[in-house]
Amino acid sequence: MEITLPLNEALALATAKEPLPPVVRSITADGASLQLDIDLRVIPDAPLALRVAASAIGTVTVTATFTGYSLGAALFEMTAHARAIPAHKLLNQLTGPIASALGRRGLPEGLIEVRKGDNEPIVAVHVQDAVAAKATGVTVTDVDVRDATAYVSLAVGTVTLL
């Protein structure tokens, strides 16, 4: 099975039950990239280093550019800028609050992983783990992002919703 889903429609589905957390001010899509405006000042239970940086920086623009799909994870090269200053070192500080937000939505820990990239950090989104948390019998075999659209290939067997 193949699913073609414009990223703005994927966002509408993701926010159908509840809105994005207040930390996410906006999300836009362009080509293979998502651009997020993140207000660091409203992250609940932020570590001290992040709270200090947030008070000085305020809003951070994060660009996530899709680079591939491997071993069940969609990979994104990340850049982050605050007031024209590179802020990608803050990404590791965001993983805890992101994991907490996903957990409140019934998803397992470890779905988002920050890895060292050649130039910029890589964020791995464990898509197959997210699917497996909601249903058995569905395997994500490929993901591609281009033209502000996600293209997802699935192998569907006997499905049981969890």
Side-chain angles (χ1 to χ4, degrees):
M1 170 189 294
E2 292 186 1
I3 298 172
T4 302
L5 186 62
L7 294 175
N8 61 341
E9 292 178 17
L11 181 59
L13 289 172
T15 58
K17 187 173 181 181
E18 60 184 278
L20 290 171
V23 67
V24 181
R25 296 293 183 199
S26 68
I27 300 177
T28 56
D30 182 33
S33 297
L34 291 171
Q35 188 170 47
L36 300 88
D37 286 324
I38 307 293
D39 188 347
L40 299 176
R41 296 167 294 194
V42 297
I43 293 177
D45 305 320
L48 177 62
L50 185 56
R51 287 194 313 256
V52 170
S55 65
I57 295 173
T59 302
V60 175
T61 300
V62 176
T63 302
T65 302
F66 180 78
T67 61
Y69 183 75
S70 176
L71 303 172
L75 306 174
F76 294 87
E77 185 176 74
M78 304 296 283
T79 58
H81 291 86
R83 299 184 179 152
I85 299 168
H88 62 273
K89 293 188 189 270
L90 294 173
L91 287 174
N92 281 326
Q93 298 293 323
L94 293 174
T95 55
I98 290 169
S100 294
L102 292 172
R104 287 190 297 275
R105 291 180 181 233
L107 293 168
E109 287 190 35
L111 289 182
I112 306 293
E113 174 190 358
V114 179
R115 301 176 180 171
K116 183 171 175 41
D118 292 333
N119 297 315
E120 303 293 343
I122 301 294
V123 171
V125 179
H126 295 276
V127 178
Q128 182 59 49
D129 291 347
V131 170
K134 299 295 182 179
T136 62
V138 179
T139 302
V140 180
T141 59
D142 194 29
V143 174
D144 191 14
V145 177
R146 62 184 187 280
D147 304 323
T149 302
Y151 300 87
V152 182
S153 296
L154 306 168
V156 180
T158 303
V159 177
T160 303
L161 298 179
L162 303 175

